[in-house]
Amino acid sequence: MRLQLLSALLLTVPVFPQLPAPNKAGISAGHDVLRSKDVEAANKFWQAIGGVPAQFAGRLNLMKFPGLLILEINNAGGRGRGGANPAPAPTPPPELLGSEGSSLDFMGFSVKDLKGSLAQWASAGITPLPGGSAKQVYLMTPDKIKVRITEEKSLSVPIQADTIGMVVPNISEAQAWYAKYFGADMVKHGNEKVANIPGSSILFQQAKGPVSPTRGRAWDRIGLEVVDLAAQVKKLEEGGVKLDSPYNGKNAQMNAGFAVFQDPFGTLIEMSEGLSAVK
């Protein structure tokens, strides 16, 4: 179902760690699915800030950061796993909306050296949005996904995924829901209280007005890697969750399974089992 993404030689770049070990509930960050009007331009952005192209099972091309995988898909052509790109859509797709105004506000990363990173990224035409500080700035992807960059000098790598900014109508309800179904522990991270999921914790932010669902936007869904996807799907369904895309077992060619649903707060989630094998 996924489209081919930007390819590059892996011999010239460092090999980053795979997805992090799961929590006690068997959950970690997985692959976030992003839509783009220009997949090549989108992946150039991710690669410029430190992402590394990675392939899974000879069919799935991803952009890898320590703790997170990113999958860019063409907004005009649906989704595919490997093979030739599908035929163009018969009608132009609707205007692609960015992250602001949706339940997913920003995608967060930590860097070891913010000043040095910004200097390096400037050579690729990437500059921070106004209003940043010496310790934290925001970037904007070509498809208007807001990216938060925070300096963390204790990092052992130049950049890694750390936080998702999620806008919800009731913070305590959202914290309880993610704790119940995904084992998220509420922990203090600097001055913020986050729902800790290995690889990319969630910072719940209070909505100040209507919030749009993520489906069909540039940041279409977040990804969670699950140790036992069949059991996780059963748990969600017993809790009244309706799946958009059911789990039909592992794909034999990929040795991976997938299931998609929307959380109660508007964020589409794609669960996977098998992407922890990405190297």
Side-chain angles (χ1 to χ4, degrees):
M1 294 190 331
R2 285 143 170 94
L3 302 177
Q4 290 287 359
L5 307 179
L6 179 70
S7 62
L9 293 175
L10 296 179
L11 295 178
T12 61
V13 293
V15 177
F16 287 164
Q18 62 184 39
L19 292 175
N23 62 14
K24 292 180 181 180
I27 308 293
S28 72
H31 68 303
D32 284 10
V33 179
L34 314 181
R35 295 182 179 274
S36 179
K37 294 180 288 186
D38 185 337
V39 169
E40 183 176 354
N43 278 308
K44 282 181 179 178
F45 172 91
W46 296 117
Q47 195 164 357
I49 70 168
V52 176
Q55 190 178 74
F56 177 67
R59 298 166 64 87
L60 199 66
N61 294 287
L62 303 151
M63 196 62 66
K64 180 174 66 171
F65 289 89
L68 179 70
L69 300 170
I70 289 176
L71 174 66
E72 288 279 359
I73 63 174
N74 192 318
N75 190 48
R79 304 182 64 185
R81 285 198 179 100
N85 289 346
T91 57
E95 179 64 24
L96 190 60
L97 298 175
S99 61
E100 292 184 312
S102 79
S103 59
L104 290 175
D105 181 51
F106 69 81
M107 185 182 295
F109 295 85
S110 295
V111 295
K112 188 175 183 66
D113 177 8
L114 180 57
K115 184 177 179 180
S117 296
L118 290 174
Q120 179 182 344
W121 300 341
S123 64
I126 299 172
T127 56
L129 299 175
S133 70
K135 295 296 183 181
Q136 187 176 89
V137 299
Y138 286 87
L139 311 176
M140 194 69 80
T141 76
D143 296 297
K144 299 181 180 178
I145 296 172
K146 193 162 60 172
V147 179
R148 190 177 80 169
I149 306 292
T150 305
E151 185 173 82
E152 179 55 70
K153 290 189 176 298
S154 64
L155 289 185
S156 60
V157 292
I159 186 170
Q160 71 176 28
D162 65 1
T163 308
I164 290 171
M166 188 179 294
V167 182
V168 296
N170 187 304
I171 291 176
S172 61
E173 287 183 7
Q175 290 173 338
W177 194 89
Y178 274 82
K180 176 180 179 180
Y181 287 106
F182 298 121
D185 296 319
M186 301 306 134
V187 301
K188 195 78 170 177
H189 184 220
N191 294 323
E192 298 172 340
K193 185 177 182 182
V194 299
N196 185 37
I197 293 176
S200 198
S201 296
I202 303 173
L203 173 64
F204 294 110
Q205 303 171 93
Q206 182 63 50
K208 297 179 181 178
V211 175
S212 297
T214 63
R215 188 192 310 273
R217 299 177 76 104
W219 192 357
D220 187 77
R221 64 194 68 182
I222 63 171
L224 295 174
E225 175 75 354
V226 182
V227 171
D228 187 343
L229 187 50
Q232 181 65 28
V233 166
K234 182 179 179 181
K235 179 179 179 179
L236 288 164
E237 290 181 327
E238 288 177 346
V241 174
K242 305 294 184 183
L243 296 183
D244 293 68
S245 178
Y247 174 59
N248 294 315
K250 285 190 174 183
N251 179 294
Q253 294 178 308
M254 297 182 69
N255 193 31
F258 303 88
V260 179
F261 72 99
Q262 181 176 289
D263 78 4
F265 317 103
T267 295
L268 206 60
I269 298 174
E270 179 156 342
M271 300 181 297
S272 60
E273 180 183 358
L275 292 187
S276 59
V278 172
K279 302 297 183 182

